[in-house]
Structures are given as C-alpha cells and as structure tokens.
Amino acid sequence: MPQVALHTRLKPGREAEYDAVHAVIPPELDAALRAAGVRGWRIWRSGRDLFHLVDVDDYAAMRAALRDHPANVPWQARMAELLEVEDDYSGADTGVPLVWALPAQAAGSS
C-alpha cells in the first residue's frame, strides 16, 4: 500500500480546537476519502506541528477527486482557519520525501 507523509502547522493557539474538530470527522468526508482511494489517515501532533501518514492508492488522483468535492470544500475551509498555510488543492503536492527507512528483516533472519 503506497503511503504519503505530510507536514502541516497550526496557527498559534489553535491546538485544542484542531484536536476537537478532528474528534469526529463528518461521515460524508469519511466516505469521500474512502471513495478517493484512502485506506487510512493518521495524524500526530507535536505542539503546532502536524505529521500525517496517508495510506492511499494514488495520492495525486485522491487530491484531484477531492479538490471540488462537496464534502471536502467546507472541511478545507474549516482547516484554513486553523492552519498556517491552507491547502487549496491547486498545487502538485507530493508529500514529504522519504529519506530513510529501516529495511524489513528477511524471513528466517535473526
């Protein structure tokens, strides 16, 4: 499963609000993400820094499918209130490049 790492940053003082907004994702957004090929999306927060790991079939196709989706447009407007840099889905974002990964151990290796 392809994975894409993302980094975003909250505006100062918006940490608790961001956490609260993400406590429940609208069902229509959940459905739109899944229909766009998202298998999983996890977000970690350290202070104002957000680290996302997205399991997705095709990240570029997902962004194209969600750009004008009626479930995503209001969600992105809400996120724009909380994030330092809003994502308007107009760029060719490819995520954070992988620098290193611990290789999987071969079967039977000790």
Side-chain angles (χ1 to χ4, degrees), residues 13 16-17 20 25 28 30-31 34 42 46 48 51-52 55-56 59 65 67 77 84-85 102-103:
E17 187 177 357
I25 300 299
E28 59 275 8
D30 182 291
R34 293 176 192 281
R42 294 172 300 283
S46 178
R48 292 174 39 220
F51 303 94
H52 310 244
D55 299 316
V56 62
Y59 184 65
R67 180 179 302 117
E84 277 192 350
V85 177
L102 180 66

Side-chain angles (χ1 to χ4, degrees), residues 17-93:
E17 187 177 357
Y18 182 87
D19 292 355
V21 168
H22 279 79
V24 177
I25 300 299
E28 59 275 8
L29 180 61
D30 182 291
L33 289 167
R34 293 176 192 281
V38 176
R39 303 288 177 246
W41 194 315
R42 294 172 300 283
I43 303 172
W44 293 264
R45 184 174 63 74
S46 178
R48 292 174 39 220
D49 290 298
L50 302 166
F51 303 94
H52 310 244
L53 186 59
V54 185
D55 299 316
V56 62
D57 297 332
D58 181 332
Y59 184 65
M62 177 206 77
R63 289 178 59 79
L66 294 175
R67 180 179 302 117
D68 298 316
H69 193 286
N72 190 47
V73 171
W75 181 259
Q76 291 307 319
R78 179 68 173 111
M79 291 302 101
E81 297 171 2
L82 305 174
L83 298 173
E84 277 192 350
V85 177
E86 71 177 274
D87 186 357
D88 64 3
Y89 283 66
S90 64
D93 172 45

